[in-house]
Amino acid sequence: MEQVQLGDGPGDAVHSSWLELSASHLQHNVAAFRALESSGPTPRALGVVLKGNAYGHGLAQVLPLVHAGVDVLYFIAPQDALTVRAYEAAHGLPPRQVLVLGAVAPEEAIVLARLGIDVVVADSSWADAVPGLRAAKLPHPLRVHVHVDTGLGREGFTLDQLPKQTRFLADAPDVFDTVGVLSHFANTEDVTEQAYALAQLDAFETGIARLTEQLKPGKPLQRHIAASAAALVLPRARYESSRVGISLYGLWPSPETRLSARLVLGTLPVLKPVLSWRCRSQVVKWLPAGSYVGYGCTYRCSEPTRLAVLPVGYYDGYPRLASGKAHVLVNGRRCAVLGRVMMNHLMVDVTHATSDERPVTATLLGRDGEESVSAESLAGWAQTIHYELLTRLGAHLRRVVVD
Ligand SMILES: *Cc1c(COP(=O)(O)O)cnc(C)c1O
């Protein structure tokens, strides 16, 4: 028999699902936020968040699509930030501002500083790192952004800690170059009135005033607090840069944000979902009336049923909690997922979606003809949010950039 070459990973198998990323939709979303950032008296930087493997879309695919059109790239993991510098070096591109929002150890910060990557100082443990950082003899001080906890109760200095706990920054200007200050909202997307966010903004400005007085920076600090929701509905929160995550990928943070945006902006910006998820059926066949489908025999066919077995399951990120509720699209029609979602399989009813037993292509997320399944819908069927659904899409899945 002829020697057959198999691909490297499970995503390379012939019978596996794949993700399609729309380059034009991504560019449309970048342009929509660019227009928003340019709408005020002073143009602001457009920052995008590529954490979580670019919200499950695939960092390797998304980075080349957004690099030219944005000003700042935000990550959680330091390793992901390195991929930006590698990409720029490989293609002879000018370096973009890169900031690691997540926790970074001092020894990691040294590596990042050599590559001109900014880090966040969010607590006073950095004071202990000063001797080590000084001994590293960096060519220039570490560029840091100070995180102020204005009410999320996550990382950052509380107002009570400012300015006492940031004194070490003022005391070691040879080690730290404080270039920015940031915070993060707790309650912008779950509400249509922004009282809590406005209180956070007041706290943010108090924190900035204390830091500015203490550090006397040569240039004004780069201030950033707005994620997608605030960038859309809270103009006061835009400052010098925004950190757009979910909406870069064409999704609204929440229905409340969408409603607020219509009120605040007058017109609703159009966001275009970037990701579709598809697969070819493994087999299509008839089951007689009375047949059971799937583990636990939770579904029984009341009529003869044409069934498609799809090679996708919870291993790939299709949530098991969506069992018995979800739909996929075949030939532009909604087809119910029958019985339980399995590790590597799910079964769907294609009785009315196709006319024979030839293989079909199923759309798990995205559009097919007049119908679409949104990430919000699938997340809802699984009692979660689209953020979680997307970031749990398997890293092994093949990701294909389309127009
Ligand atoms: C994830 C994250 C964002 C982006 O949030 P979206 O709602 O996806 O726009 C911004 N800032 C910080 C600190 C984050 O962790």
Side-chain angles (χ1 to χ4, degrees), residues 96-290:
R96 288 274 178 260
Q97 187 182 0
V98 177
L99 171 61
V100 177
L101 295 165
V104 168
E107 58 270 29
E108 293 170 321
I110 291 167
V111 178
L112 296 172
R114 293 213 162 95
L115 292 164
I117 295 170
D118 301 358
V119 299
V120 171
V121 164
D123 57 70
S124 57
S125 66
W126 283 88
D128 303 332
V130 169
L133 291 169
R134 199 168 270 145
K137 297 210 181 331
L138 290 168
H140 40 73
L142 192 63
R143 284 168 53 94
V144 300
H145 299 237
V146 178
H147 201 140
V148 183
D149 179 0
T150 57
L152 177 60
R154 204 169 75 179
E155 68 262 79
F157 297 93
T158 61
L159 284 188
D160 282 349
Q161 295 174 323
L162 287 180
K164 225 164 100 198
Q165 291 205 14
T166 46
R167 234 193 91 174
F168 70 96
L169 291 171
D171 290 346
D174 58 318
V175 171
F176 300 108
D177 178 14
T178 305
V179 296
V181 54
L182 74 146
S183 189
H184 195 38
F185 286 117
N187 197 25
T188 44
E189 45 261 44
D190 295 319
V191 292
T192 47
E193 59 75 39
Q194 299 290 345
Y196 195 81
L198 293 173
Q200 282 195 264
L201 282 174
D202 290 341
F204 190 43
E205 286 173 6
T206 302
I208 292 167
R210 288 184 193 170
L211 282 166
T212 305
E213 186 176 307
Q214 180 181 48
L215 302 171
K216 302 194 172 47
K219 281 195 289 183
L221 297 173
Q222 184 184 39
R223 302 163 298 172
H224 46 106
I225 185 169
S228 299
L232 286 157
V233 306
L234 211 58
R236 189 184 147 200
R238 288 188 195 139
Y239 298 106
E240 280 75 44
S241 176
S242 50
R243 303 188 301 261
V244 180
I246 196 86
S247 296
L248 171 72
Y249 308 96
L251 302 171
W252 287 88
S254 68
E256 289 82 357
T257 306
R258 204 183 151 107
L259 191 62
S260 306
R262 189 186 286 286
L263 296 173
V264 171
L265 302 170
T267 54
L268 203 57
V270 176
L271 298 176
K272 299 188 175 181
V274 170
L275 181 129
S276 304
W277 189 11
R278 302 189 208 277
C279 73
R280 294 282 286 164
S281 61
Q282 191 173 326
V283 67
V284 176
K285 65 183 181 188
W286 281 100
L287 291 184

